[in-house]
Every structure is written in C-alpha cells, then in structure tokens.
Amino acid sequence: MNWVGRRLVRFEDPALLRGEGRYIADIAIGARAVRFVRSPVAAGRIVALRPPPDMPPGAIFVTAADMPEVGVIKPMLHRFDYRPVEQPVLPRDRVHFFGQPIAAIVADTPELAEDLAELVEVEIEADTAVVDLDDALLPGAPLVHAVAPGNVMVEGLLRNPACDAGFAAAHCVVEMTVRSRRQNATPLEGRGGCAEYDRATGRVRLSASLQMPHMIRTGIADLLGMPEADLQVVAPDVGGGFGQKMSMFPEYPVLVWLARRHRGAFAWIEDRNENLTASAHSRDQRHVLRGAFDAEGHLLALDAEILANVGAFSCYPTTSGVEPLMAFAEYPGPYKVPAYAARARGVITHTCPIAPYRGVSRPVITFGIERLMDRAALALGMDSVELRRRNLVDSFPHRTATGLMLDEASYIEAMDTAVAKLDIPAFRARQKAARAEGRFLGLGLAVFNERTGYGTPAFAARGMGIVPGYEVVDIAMLATGEVEARIGASPHGQGLRTALAQIIADELGMDAARIRIIHGDTDRTPYGWGTFASRSAVISGGACQIAAQRLAARLRQGAARLLQTSEDRIVLRDGLAVGENDASVPLDTLARQVHQRSDLFSDVGGFNLAESGSYDPSGTFSNACHAVIVEVDAETGHVRIERYLVVEDAGRIINPLIADGQVRGGVAQGIGNALMEEIIHAEDGNVLTGTLADFIPPTLAEIPEIEIHHLVTISAATITGAKGLGEGGAIGAPAAICNAISDALVPFGVDIAEFPATPGRIRALIRGRIPA
C-alpha cells in the first residue's frame, strides 16, 4: 500500500493536543525577562531616553548607545529602481513608526520588566508623519528617508505598445480602482525568543518563534560581527507563522547581544498589542485597473497601476519589493492577457513595515482581476462564467505577458466543477424569490492560480541580495532500522513531519511512523530556507524523495550482498528487502548488519546507510476556484456566508487530511481579510486597532462548513507530482466573497471594490445609492 495519498493523522498532533508542545514561553522559564520600550510617536527626533529613576539591583537598561558595534538591517535588491534603507536594531537619532523598539529593559520577571519599561522617560520631538499612500506621494511631503526621494522605495515599470493597440481596438473598456486595507497575520503565538549563553563553549542558543532559522542565524551573526558557528538557532513548536515570522526583526539580535554581553539567558515574549502594532503588517494596497475587451468578451489588454504602502523599512530578506513586485509580475493570473502594461511602486510611510503574509499580494490581485471580470460581464451583458471561460488559459505550457511559465493546470475544469456543484440556475431562482421577500442573496466566484515551490531561479530573477531557493535533506537509517531525515525547511503547523515521512516511506518500503523528520535546529539540520511561499511539500518533499531514492539504492545494494543476488532483483516493501524466490531480509536486520558488521561489506569500502538529496525547481502553479453564496442584511450591512465551496488542484495530494486542513485554515483567514480585519491608523500614525476588541478576527460563528473538492493535474515541473496549496485558501476568499456581496446588492447598484467589506462600508455604499 502506498503511503502517499493516505489520510494519515498527523504525527505532530498528540503532543500538541495533550498540551505537551514546547513553545518559546515554555523555554523562557527561568530566563531573565526583556521588555522593549517602543516609540509612542510615528515620526520624530529622539532627544533623550532615560532609565527609571530607581532601577532595582540587577536590572539592565539598553539603548543604541550601548551597542555601537552592532550593524544595521539592510536587505538588498540589486536593481536600479530600489532604494536600500538602513534599519537600526535600536535607533540612535530618529524614530520612524509607532511601536518601533527604541530601548530594552531587563528584569527578573516579565511583570517587573513591564513595570520598569513604563517608567522609562522617553523624550521625542515629534515630526509630521506621513501615514497613507496619498499623503506620502504628495509633492513636498515629508520624506521618511532622505535616500528615497518622493517616498518611493521600489518601482517596477512595464510599457507595451501592444497594450495601447489593444485599448484602441476595444469594444468595451472597464476601469476600476480596488483597495485592500492594511492587515496583520495575527498568529496564535506572537513573536518571541530566548537567548541562552553557554559558559562552557561561549556559544549562544537562540530559540525563537520563526520560519527561517538558518537565514536568521546568518543575519544575526553578520549584525553582531560574531562567528556564525557560535550561534545556534532553534525554532521549536511555532504557534503559527503565515509569513510574518519569516523576517529578521530587531528584537532577536538584541536578545543575542544581551546573552553574549551578560553571559546569561534572556527572553522576550511578544504580547498581542505589540504584535498588532509593531510586528509586520501586510496588503495596504490600491490598484487602478483598466481592461480592454472585444465584443465577444475576450480580454485584449490589461493595464495596472499598483501602489503598495510598504511601511517605514524594508523587511529582511525579502525586501519591500515583495508585495508591489509580486503584484506587478503576477497580475494576469490564470487568464490569457495578450498585452499587459503595469507600474508598481512601494511607497514608504511612517508605519510598521510590511512583510509577507499568507498569499502576499495574490489576494489583492485576485480580488482586482476577478472584480474586473464581473464588471466586464455586466458591461457586455454576458454571463460572468462564460466570460471567464473565454479568457482562462486552456493550453499548456503557457508563457504569461510577464514571462512566467504556467505549467499544466485545470483552470476551466476547476471553475466548471464549482459551477456544477452550485447549480447556478437553481440558485438564481432562489435569489429572485428571496429578493421578493426583502432578502438579498448573492453568488461569487474567484478563479486563480498560485505560484508554488519556486526555487533559486525565481528569486534570482528578482535581483535579491539574499537568494533563497534550494532545499537539502540528509537522510540515514539507524542501526535499529528507524530513519532520520534532517531538513532545512522549518514547519510551523503544516504537518510537514507527517507528509515528508509519507514520501520517504514509499521510497523505502517501510512504515511512515518509523521515520523521524528533524527540523528547526541549525545545529542538527543542513542549511535551508525554512517554510514559506507554499514551497515545502514541493521543494523539501522533492529533496526527501531524491535522498530516499538514493538511500533505497544503498539498501538494495546491502540486501543483495546478504541474499547473494543482484541489486536489480531486490524490492523494498513492508519493511523487508525481498529478493528472488521471496527470499528476504528485514530492513532492521540489514541496518544492524551494515552498522555493526562492517566486515561483511569490507570490499565495498566505507559502505553506510546515509545519503543526501537536494532540489531546486523553477516552480509550479496550483489553481483553484472558490464559490460562495452569501446573504447580506441591507439594514445592518452584516454578511452571512451560507455556503463556501473550494475546487482545488494541487497535483498529487500527499495527505488529503492535511491538504484539506491547509485549505480550510487559509479560507478562514481569507474570510477575516474579506469581512473584518483591518489595521487602522490615526492621522498622526498611532495604531488604533491594538487589541482583539478592535482588530477583529473571525470565529466559528463567521466561518461556515467549507466544502472541498480536489482535482489532480500532474505536472512535470515537480518531481513528486505535488504542488503547493498552503496559501490558496487565503488567496481566493476576498474576491469570491466580495463578488458575492456585489451580486447580492445588485438591486441597490452597489459594487464592492474594497476589502474588508465591513458592515459600516456596506451600509455607506447602500445609503449612497438610496435617494434621500
């Protein structure tokens, strides 16, 4: 029986469900508590930072003046239109966003550290802050950084004469502005770290809630000027990451600096207010779109003007280009776009820096292109499903207008499956009857693709100073027959330990439960790039498959020696190496012999059961169609999701149970993005949504049962046949939900072009359409 494809319960779950997981707050017990003093203003000159007047014995107060040898965070893009900005670990002269860490205080307990932090005297001469896109781009606006004239940190420009010709020939031109308000990933566990100095070795172990341990290790070593070998970084159980925990934040090098300077253990646990105000935000964007269509509904040309508020600094290592340049490159999505022109700008403001969040810019560009399709169908008097069908890519491989290569997928099939499941004619009849009763039902679709599992070629094309991509897996069978696979990827809730064990088990013909995946510890794993961008099942999974195939060859070689037959006659199955006439040797016995009876293999020379595999693909596109039925209360603006359906094609599904969980989790976050969650600033840059009473995530009351159907398109672009799906749920939800709301409110002439579509926004749109 194959292990790949089985709904195997995750090996990770029992300990977590029993409350026996090991998170940063568990590791921090016994360490001295660190509390960061944060800027109370969004922009200004630091005049003085004074410690509490009565510091208790042993308390420590740290400012930039204490750390002159520490470098600055300066992620790079090697392109002429990028302005690199330096971010100090702790600022010496100026603050650039509300909540920026400006000092640290250390005490014996978290409570005392918090009390002392509140007594630090902060004297800052406030300046005028630029907070939103329009203000930052005004002529004469205050510059956030002198190195970035016009407050533009990065820009992408694509001009295409064919685009002008397409618009000139158009039967219909649809123009619209779409807006995504600022969001926060809101992981269940916030950021945090515990740095412990080992007096015997002079090394520091940093345990931290993060996604890229090896990259963080190298970055901190560079900042502190310390040998990388003197730093171990461990990501234990991580209570959600979603991209927010990819970056190297200033707090982590401060912890390591404290541990080295004071030769002890120091821990910081982020609270919810810190996470909402000063961790990393996302998707504060505005796009102006124009689509040119012929009389039959074919898209002739697309023009996009993309603005992304990237905050005060550039996130490390992906840089401030991660959002605007992704939108720039991937706007055509699953559609045939013969001519494309775009301009994308990353705009600096006095706000918390932007970093990747599940889907990055794809929820916004999917929202944009899918709203454009619905509007075009309305303008042309066409069925919106038929309009999409005429424009979706239907032959592969397909090169997009920006040069991306789309591999085999099922864009039309996914949409048609969703439409058939919904029974649209029956819904339209029900919708009409409901409207006669004063109830407003709506149906929305979103068709999209998701670029997944992309390695070095994709990141190198961006000109990144740090180019992630490949993954390496070291695999070995122990003397007792168990297998250890050490991976550079670093899962944080995806079930990767289980899924990778399933891939390896099929190659070795053994029980997946006897395979241990070791991850998240730079001392015990090969250098790798962690877990993000729907990459791990594809890239780490591919590396596991390659390594396991090599180990399987060694097992067949060893078994052939013991069974006195040729290697090509050996089959690995059910924990046995089986040769001719069903002669067999248990893999446990074989492993014991190789490890402890090397004399049996002396003529082979250094024979062992250890191998390595690496994988670095160019990437593969998964795809999906989300279909939603909603009911909108026109009096209150409340939206109730009646039905949510996902048709997903992620190639070969390694573990359907895990895959469905990933889709449902993504949709849940997408519902929050679509309807509820928004980071709101005051004019002076103060964050007004610093608690979960103000920034409102969805609960079980807002999340319906999510119906999932899988299609399987096998692509040569991924050696396992698997495609990534970790972000897809979040990508499609805002577009599908807002399309459904717009469909529900057709009687009012309301069109949703902004998310989250909160009750207040919906009511304002309805009021604007009702005569006084």
Side-chain angles (χ1 to χ4, degrees):
M1 179 184 293
N2 288 339
W3 287 93
V4 168
R6 294 172 64 178
R7 297 179 68 86
L8 198 63
V9 174
R10 301 194 321 176
F11 298 146
E12 298 91 327
D13 288 347
L16 301 179
L17 293 173
R18 292 194 300 263
E20 295 170 355
R22 187 164 171 79
Y23 295 88
I24 294 304
D26 300 307
I27 295 169
I29 294 172
R32 305 198 69 198
V34 179
R35 188 74 181 176
F36 286 93
V37 181
R38 299 185 179 274
S39 175
V41 301
R45 183 178 68 87
I46 298 174
V47 177
L49 298 171
R50 302 182 183 92
D54 297 312
M55 289 268 284
I60 303 168
F61 179 63
V62 179
T63 69
D66 301 299
M67 309 170 68
E69 76 284 6
V70 176
V72 294
I73 301 172
K74 188 180 179 181
M76 292 297 299
L77 284 178
H78 297 301
R79 46 188 297 156
F80 73 92
D81 50 20
Y82 174 71
R83 289 85 178 175
V85 170
E86 296 181 349
Q87 179 180 7
V89 170
L90 295 176
R92 181 182 295 271
D93 302 313
R94 305 194 65 81
V95 294
H96 290 88
F97 66 94
F98 175 85
Q100 181 178 358
I102 55 178
I105 196 101
V106 179
D108 289 337
T109 67
E111 296 78 10
L112 180 56
E114 185 168 357
D115 289 343
L116 291 174
E118 292 177 355
L119 296 175
V120 171
E121 186 177 343
V122 176
E123 186 177 348
I124 297 177
E125 188 178 278
D127 293 334
T128 301
V130 288
V131 177
D132 67 23
L133 290 164
D134 292 326
D135 289 345
L137 293 174
L138 286 174
L143 293 182
V144 180
H145 298 285
V147 298
N151 286 323
V152 174
M153 192 184 295
V154 65
E155 183 170 4
L157 183 65
L158 175 64
R159 285 288 170 250
N160 186 348
C163 211
D164 296 332
F167 280 99
H171 172 76
C172 172
V173 174
V174 179
E175 182 171 346
M176 65 183 300
T177 299
V178 298
R179 185 75 166 89
S180 166
R181 295 293 176 175
R182 182 171 282 231
Q183 296 164 8
N184 181 283
T186 326
L188 186 63
E189 178 196 33
R191 298 175 298 156
C194 179
E196 303 168 87
Y197 183 81
D198 186 333
R199 291 172 179 261
T201 64
R203 300 183 77 218
V204 173
R205 179 173 66 240
L206 172 67
S207 301
S209 186
L210 42 80
Q211 296 175 229
M212 302 175 74
H214 285 280
M215 186 279 299
I216 296 293
R217 179 196 193 200
T218 304
I220 292 175
D222 288 345
L223 281 175
L224 301 186
M226 63 181 292
E228 187 171 357
D230 286 351
L231 179 62
Q232 175 190 9
V233 174
V234 177
D237 289 321
V238 174
F242 312 117
Q244 188 183 80
K245 295 177 181 177
M246 284 174 60
S247 300
M248 181 172 68
F249 294 98
E251 291 89 348
Y252 296 135
V254 171
L255 291 177
V256 175
W257 181 89
L258 282 166
R260 298 182 80 216
R261 174 62 62 90
H262 297 281
R263 296 164 61 87
F266 297 83
W268 162 67
I269 307 296
E270 180 182 64
D271 65 27
R272 186 57 60 189
N273 178 259
E274 287 179 296
N275 182 265
L276 288 170
T277 59
S279 56
H281 294 162
S282 63
R283 295 200 275 268
D284 186 350
Q285 300 183 24
R286 185 174 68 232
H287 303 171
V288 179
L289 301 177
R290 289 194 308 140
F293 294 83
D294 68 15
E296 286 72 43
H298 297 106
L299 181 61
L300 304 176
L302 176 67
D303 182 273
E305 179 78 22
I306 300 158
L307 291 176
N309 183 340
V310 298
F313 296 104
S314 204
C315 57
Y316 181 103
T318 52
T319 80
S320 59
V322 65
E323 283 196 354
L325 296 184
M326 174 183 283
F328 174 85
E330 298 187 23
Y331 228 119
Y335 292 102
K336 294 176 281 192
V337 180
Y340 175 61
R343 184 189 186 195
R345 286 177 285 172
V347 180
I348 310 175
T349 60
H350 289 111
T351 61
C352 178
I354 294 295
Y357 170 32
R358 200 172 195 167
V360 194
S361 280
R362 294 186 193 100
V364 191
I365 62 178
T366 299
F367 178 81
I369 197 79
E370 290 300 292
R371 291 300 300 126
L372 188 73
M373 288 294 165
D374 271 13
R375 281 198 180 185
L378 188 64
L380 291 164
M382 286 183 63
D383 175 70
S384 63
V385 173
E386 180 57 30
L387 181 85
R388 285 177 169 85
R389 185 178 289 110
R390 294 182 184 185
N391 288 287
L392 286 167
V393 173
D394 55 3
S395 63
F396 302 93
H398 174 86
R399 189 171 294 279
T400 72
T402 59
L404 299 179
M405 186 63 74
L406 306 185
D407 57 328
E408 293 84 353
S410 57
Y411 304 146
I412 294 175
E413 295 88 339
M415 181 183 70
D416 286 346
T417 301
V419 168
K421 297 287 183 184
L422 282 180
D423 190 357
I424 292 180
F427 168 78
R428 291 302 179 197
R430 190 161 66 91
Q431 183 186 48
K432 182 178 180 180
R435 284 177 179 172
E437 301 170 356
R439 296 170 52 234
F440 301 95
L441 305 179
L443 184 151
L445 297 177
V447 184
F448 63 93
N449 59 13
E450 177 189 356
R451 193 182 188 190
T452 75
Y454 45 98
T456 300
F459 290 104
R462 299 180 182 180
M464 292 176 62
I466 296 174
V467 181
Y470 64 86
E471 283 299 334
V472 176
V473 172
D474 294 333
I475 191 168
M477 181 172 280
L478 307 180
T480 50
E482 292 86 11
V483 168
E484 288 185 342
R486 302 170 186 271
I487 66 172
S490 186
H492 45 279
Q494 295 90 343
L496 201 57
R497 284 167 50 192
T498 307
L500 296 184
Q502 289 177 260
I503 292 173
I504 294 168
D506 274 350
E507 298 297 333
L508 301 182
M510 63 183 293
D511 191 332
R514 302 194 70 197
I515 298 167
R516 177 171 297 178
I517 306 298
I518 297 173
H519 62 84
D521 185 338
T522 59
D523 274 10
R524 303 179 67 200
T525 60
Y527 202 99
W529 293 101
T531 297
F532 62 97
S534 298
R535 70 190 299 271
S536 295
V538 178
I539 306 182
S540 191
C544 279
Q545 180 169 298
I546 291 169
Q549 288 171 345
R550 292 173 177 170
L551 178 57
R554 286 182 173 270
L555 289 170
R556 284 192 290 269
Q557 182 183 2
R561 172 63 58 90
L562 295 182
L563 296 175
Q564 298 184 353
T565 187
S566 59
E567 295 173 31
D568 59 0
R569 298 297 182 92
I570 299 294
V571 176
L572 305 178
R573 66 168 186 257
D574 301 326
L576 302 171
V578 182
E580 295 178 284
N581 302 317
D582 287 333
S584 65
V585 59
L587 295 182
D588 290 10
T589 301
L590 173 59
R592 181 77 65 172
Q593 297 284 62
V594 172
H595 281 279
Q596 297 187 346
R597 288 294 309 276
S598 57
D599 58 297
L600 298 176
F601 308 91
S602 57
D603 60 320
V604 179
F607 185 71
N608 59 65
L609 297 180
E611 270 292 356
S612 182
S614 63
Y615 189 47
D616 193 7
S618 58
T620 178
F621 284 80
S622 57
N623 64 274
C625 178
H626 288 206
V628 185
I629 294 174
V630 303
E631 181 171 356
V632 182
D633 187 325
E635 294 186 357
T636 66
H638 176 262
V639 176
R640 180 180 69 86
I641 300 175
E642 178 185 285
R643 186 178 181 188
Y644 203 110
L645 183 147
V646 176
V647 179
E648 175 86 36
D649 189 340
R652 179 175 288 117
I653 302 297
I654 298 169
N655 184 318
L657 189 65
I658 291 175
D660 288 352
Q662 287 289 296
V663 172
R664 289 192 173 98
V667 170
Q669 285 186 302
I671 289 170
N673 294 171
L675 296 176
M676 308 168 72
E677 298 172 345
E678 180 179 357
I679 296 291
I680 300 173
H681 290 91
E683 290 185 0
D684 64 0
N686 187 2
V687 175
L688 302 178
T689 48
T691 73
L692 293 181
D694 307 299
F695 182 89
I696 306 173
T699 68
L700 285 175
E702 291 80 34
I703 301 170
E705 183 67 29
I706 298 163
E707 181 182 340
I708 301 172
H709 302 273
H710 290 287
L711 302 180
V712 178
T713 300
I714 301 299
S715 168
T718 162
I719 62 171
T720 62
K723 301 180 177 184
L725 51 62
E727 297 174 290
I731 292 170
I737 291 169
C738 291
N739 278 346
I741 296 170
S742 294
D743 182 58
L745 298 180
V746 164
F748 299 95
V750 165
D751 186 273
I752 304 295
E754 177 178 10
F755 68 94
T758 61
R761 288 198 174 103
I762 292 172
R763 280 295 302 143
L765 289 169
I766 293 174
R767 284 197 300 269
R769 292 290 183 173
I770 299 176

